[in-house]
Amino acid sequence: MVFANKGWENTPEAARLACDYAREHGIKHVVIASKTGYTTDIFMDTFAKAGVDVHFVNVTHCYGDLGPGQCEMTPEKRRELTDKGVTVITATHALSGAERGIVNKYGGVTPAILMADTLKMLGQGMKVGVEISLMAMDNGAVPYGEEILAVGGCGHGADYVISLIPGHSNNLFETKVIDIICKPRIS
């Protein structure tokens, strides 16, 4: 599915398409980029209504992204999600992290940032999906060698869903993107 435009309004349809794909392919793990947790709520509701049982992983922005010592997900929302069985990961972004700090101070480009920008050629959601999958794998939130779904977007909500088998960050080229379930048209 290719959405005519990117944005939040695609989230319910992205959730439905992800749910259908998970049912059809026996996917048991869905990793979602959601800085506040509300996109994860929409996916959980969609899967529950369809009777599709999966393990959800919510990957937030790291502390400090909003401001020094701050995280965009409230402690209450984190507790609400974990109480529902969601694994919540807040960690340094796999394809930027410390490298971005080096570039910000000294300039230039680093291999991980170059990789991130290359993935963005396929859309912001492709980069996000690969990155959060690496983060989930590095945190033990998804099983090694298993196909999962990764959900990303262009800032708010979700408009990009991919299926992939992620590697760990230290072996990131083991990552294999299998299908693009939905994405916005890139203009």
Side-chain angles (χ1 to χ4, degrees):
M1 167 64 141
V2 177
F3 298 118
N5 298 298
K6 63 183 179 180
W8 169 257
E9 63 275 2
N10 297 316
T11 304
E13 182 65 5
R16 187 191 66 73
L17 292 166
C19 182
D20 290 349
Y21 189 95
R23 180 187 302 116
E24 182 179 338
H25 295 277
I27 304 293
K28 295 296 177 196
H29 301 274
V30 179
V31 180
I32 302 170
S34 181
K35 55 191 171 189
T36 62
Y38 294 105
T39 299
T40 299
D41 287 338
I42 292 168
F43 275 74
M44 289 173 57
D45 185 56
T46 300
F47 278 65
K49 285 179 179 172
V52 177
D53 185 32
V54 298
H55 171 238
F56 287 99
V57 178
N58 186 115
V59 180
T60 73
H61 282 171
C62 60
Y63 278 81
D65 202 58
L66 182 62
Q70 296 180 4
C71 180
E72 291 168 279
M73 182 178 282
T74 66
E76 296 79 19
K77 187 63 177 179
R78 180 181 300 272
R79 192 169 27 262
E80 175 190 322
L81 289 173
T82 57
D83 286 350
K84 292 178 180 177
V86 176
T87 300
V88 179
I89 296 172
T90 302
T92 301
H93 293 144
L95 297 178
S96 62
E99 289 190 339
R100 181 134 353 256
I102 294 166
V103 169
N104 288 343
K105 182 164 177 114
Y106 298 106
V109 68
T110 63
I113 291 173
L114 181 61
M115 175 177 275
D117 285 347
T118 302
L119 286 168
K120 287 180 189 176
M121 292 170 63
L122 297 169
Q124 176 73 16
M126 176 63 79
K127 176 264 192 192
V128 170
V130 169
E131 184 169 48
I132 64 173
S133 297
L134 295 170
M135 294 165 71
M137 180 61 66
D138 287 350
N139 280 274
V142 295
Y144 181 79
E146 191 171 314
E147 182 180 356
I148 67 168
L149 293 183
V151 179
C154 301
H156 298 288
D159 55 16
Y160 214 113
V161 179
I162 59 175
S163 74
L164 73 161
I165 300 172
H168 290 283
S169 292
N170 64 354
N171 287 311
L172 60 94
F173 290 111
E174 288 183 355
T175 300
K176 303 297 180 222
V177 176
I178 298 167
D179 279 319
I180 299 172
I181 289 96
C182 61
K183 67 179 278 310
R185 186 169 188 280
I186 299 171
S187 54

